[in-house]
Amino acid sequence: MMNKITKGKRITAVILVATFVINCSGIKVKAEETHNENIDPIIVVSLGDSYSSGEGITPFYGQEENRTSNPDWLAHRSRFSWSSQLIVEGIEGTLSEHRDKNWFFVAASGAVTDNLTNSFEKEYDRDGKKGTYFLDPQLNVFDNFEENTVDYVTMTFGGNDVGFVDIITTAVTDTLFSVPYINPRKLSANLAATWEQFYADGGIKDDIKSAYELISKKAGSNAHILVAGYPQLLEKNG
Amino acid sequence: MNKKWQIALIWLIGIGIVAMIIFVGMKSSIKRKMVSEQIAEAGVEDIDVDEYYNEKSTILDNYSVQDSPSIQTESEAREDITQRGFEQNPITYDYDIEGKYLGNQAIDDSTSTHPIYQTYYTSSAGELWTIISINGTIIANPVSYNMESEVGVQTILSESESIIGYDSETNTFYNTIPNKSELIVKVVEKIDAALLDPLNKEMIPEL
């Protein structure tokens, strides 16, 4: 059952891994020349939202522990997230084999760029217990390292800022539930509103740009920042 | 400061203000262009609604939303919709009275008015219906029936042959008789839960 559910996601992960390896081929020499694992371990930090956390791909880290207080479970950080499957020059095996040694995984399902610097409020309702847990701001992870020791940062960010859940919901409900005849411009109005928010002064585009700048500053000058793209959610013609 | 310098300063400030206005105008125009390009890139056609209804219907009349005497407040829309037995789900709207798209918002019984309201109804026959109130007239869209139908044209229930269409760009209502090739309208006396509840997929085309 699990294999069936994760198959599609794994394909995505493989594509991303392939892209990563290709992208890294140019810096492979540098990694070998400058890294001595004993004195300067390779450090990879994985930030981001649900595409980075691996939402929907079980098992999640921490799912066998107390789910109401385990940040990995609450953030839905998957053991098969694409970043966990990366192979980085200088580290043996996939990153998942080196969690909290070489690989620091703080992506969280549902995160927006604001959660880089502010806590992410996660509500839980599990086994009769309801409450709120505050996931640490994602940039706090860099406080664990000395300056300029981070080698790679992986991430996806911006999807939740744009509101892709709402976009998908609207696309589906508009297609199935609406009567296009009575409001033929509704879809274009929705898209226009989204893009206007994106390009507005202080809007989503500015938020994402600021987020990249913040990450770059916190990660330090040695870090290579890898931003994965989102898959195309819908075909243009439905 | 002598008069000559004062005049020069006033000119300078004037030129600065004009330059600022031109700059803001250009920036706004560039943004509008970028938004249009992104919408075009998404493959969504920016429809000329007047042309659309001219092609797909007989237009009986068109008028500004804000001039319509039939436009309902949120509380009037709630009363009308719930009195018909459609109480299961929230009533929502997407536009303000000036035609600005706001995204899906739940009504809160205020005196605010909106061109279109919408809710859903699930009947005991298993049909999912979208209930739409536009300028005070009600139509019902059988979602599951239309999904499975092989007719290729959407079917709706209405209390009159004429169907009101909406153009948010010009904030205009179009009173139309749709061409049968575009929309199949089943005219019924009153759209309410009592009518919709027993209707199944075999009964809808027979109305």
Side-chain angles (χ1 to χ4, degrees):
Chain A
M1 180 69 177
M2 191 187 84
N3 287 340
K4 275 186 184 172
I5 292 167
T6 59
K7 195 175 173 186
K9 299 278 186 181
R10 281 184 182 162
I11 290 167
T12 308
V14 168
I15 293 165
L16 287 163
V17 170
T19 310
F20 181 82
V21 170
I22 291 162
N23 286 344
C24 284
S25 60
I27 53 176
K28 185 173 159 188
V29 177
K30 179 179 175 290
E32 283 175 346
E33 281 173 353
T34 58
H35 278 95
N36 179 326
E37 185 64 17
N38 295 324
I39 54 169
D40 181 15
I42 289 173
I43 293 172
V44 183
V45 172
S46 293
L47 309 170
D49 54 22
S50 57
Y51 272 107
S52 287
S53 77
E55 178 59 278
I57 316 170
T58 53
F60 299 120
Y61 288 101
Q63 71 175 42
E64 62 289 336
E65 294 168 32
N66 182 352
R67 293 183 176 189
T68 58
S69 60
N70 187 294
D72 284 337
W73 159 254
L74 291 165
H76 279 196
R77 292 176 188 138
S78 170
R79 292 178 182 276
F80 292 102
S81 67
W82 65 265
S83 53
S84 77
Q85 302 304 300
L86 293 176
I87 297 166
V88 177
E89 199 68 41
I91 303 176
E92 204 167 306
T94 62
L95 289 180
S96 63
E97 296 165 50
H98 303 275
R99 184 153 190 217
D100 294 335
K101 293 181 203 118
N102 299 94
W103 180 51
F104 298 83
F105 186 27
V106 293
S109 181
V112 292
T113 50
D114 185 60
N115 300 125
L116 286 166
T117 51
N118 290 304
S119 299
F120 184 12
E121 204 175 322
K122 277 277 183 187
E123 288 184 1
Y124 57 81
D125 181 359
R126 191 102 199 161
D127 305 327
K129 287 181 188 172
K130 283 185 181 179
T132 305
Y133 187 96
F134 292 89
L135 295 172
D136 286 341
Q138 293 193 19
L139 289 186
N140 283 10
V141 69
F142 293 105
D143 298 341
N144 297 319
F145 316 117
E146 287 179 27
E147 204 174 330
N148 296 327
T149 55
V150 174
D151 298 282
Y152 299 104
V153 178
T154 71
M155 64 171 162
T156 51
F157 253 123
N160 292 315
D161 296 71
V162 173
F164 63 35
V165 173
D166 287 344
I167 292 171
I168 289 293
T169 306
T170 304
V172 173
T173 55
D174 273 9
T175 306
L176 299 178
F177 300 160
S178 73
V179 181
Y181 178 87
I182 66 158
N183 188 4
R185 296 194 82 256
K186 189 175 178 191
L187 188 55
S188 61
N190 186 346
L191 283 171
T194 301
W195 284 113
E196 273 159 17
Q197 284 171 33
F198 188 81
Y199 286 118
D201 285 333
I204 298 162
K205 186 184 177 194
D206 290 348
D207 286 346
I208 293 171
K209 184 170 177 278
S210 303
Y212 289 167
E213 286 167 355
L214 261 176
I215 291 164
S216 174
K217 192 175 168 192
K218 286 288 272 184
S221 56
N222 287 340
H224 299 274
I225 299 173
L226 304 160
V227 182
Y230 292 105
Q232 184 173 343
L233 300 173
L234 296 169
E235 289 297 322
K236 283 182 183 178
N237 299 320
Chain B
M1 196 184 286
N2 65 34
K3 202 172 176 183
K4 204 174 169 184
W5 280 107
Q6 281 178 347
I7 293 168
L9 189 64
I10 290 167
W11 268 102
L12 205 62
I13 292 168
I15 290 166
I17 291 169
V18 170
M20 185 69 79
I21 291 167
I22 292 170
F23 175 74
V24 170
M26 280 174 65
K27 206 173 163 192
S28 161
S29 162
I30 290 166
K31 272 185 189 165
R32 276 198 303 274
K33 191 169 171 247
M34 286 163 94
V35 168
S36 309
E37 282 171 2
Q38 291 293 349
I39 293 169
E41 173 65 20
V44 177
E45 198 183 342
D46 197 9
I47 292 165
D48 179 332
V49 176
D50 202 59
E51 199 177 297
Y52 178 90
Y53 287 123
N54 268 309
E55 278 177 15
K56 298 180 188 298
S57 72
T58 303
I59 300 173
L60 303 176
D61 193 9
N62 64 47
Y63 44 92
S64 159
V65 169
Q66 283 162 306
D67 293 342
S68 170
S70 310
I71 204 85
Q72 289 181 320
T73 64
E74 291 184 15
S75 53
E76 286 167 344
R78 179 188 294 282
E79 193 181 345
D80 185 19
I81 291 169
T82 54
Q83 273 184 356
R84 291 166 184 268
F86 305 125
E87 299 166 321
Q88 296 168 329
N89 294 299
I91 299 165
T92 59
Y93 60 86
D94 289 297
Y95 297 90
D96 71 9
I97 192 61
E98 291 171 346
K100 184 182 176 193
Y101 182 79
L102 305 168
N104 202 243
Q105 314 263 335
I107 65 169
D108 60 7
D109 283 334
S110 75
T111 53
S112 300
T113 51
H114 306 280
I116 305 174
Y117 299 92
Q118 182 167 307
T119 191
Y120 298 101
Y121 175 71
T122 312
S123 71
S124 53
E127 181 66 50
L128 173 64
W129 295 83
T130 316
I131 310 298
I132 298 166
S133 169
I134 178 164
N135 195 31
T137 67
I138 297 277
I139 60 169
N141 167 35
V143 176
S144 346
Y145 168 80
N146 280 317
M147 276 173 69
E148 292 172 23
S149 168
E150 291 173 2
V151 177
V153 180
Q154 191 171 21
T155 296
I156 62 163
L157 272 58
S158 168
E159 292 171 351
S160 75
E161 276 185 32
S162 63
I163 299 296
I164 296 175
Y166 176 58
D167 178 11
S168 57
E169 179 81 8
T170 58
N171 205 27
T172 302
F173 282 134
Y174 285 77
N175 192 19
T176 69
I177 305 283
N179 296 346
K180 286 190 169 39
S181 57
E182 301 300 331
L183 190 68
I184 298 170
V185 180
K186 301 283 183 186
V187 181
V188 295
E189 197 174 321
K190 187 178 183 187
I191 293 173
D192 57 14
L195 173 78
L196 303 190
D197 202 54
L199 293 181
N200 60 31
K201 291 176 184 62
E202 289 72 39
M203 294 161 80
I204 291 167
E206 303 303 323
L207 286 170

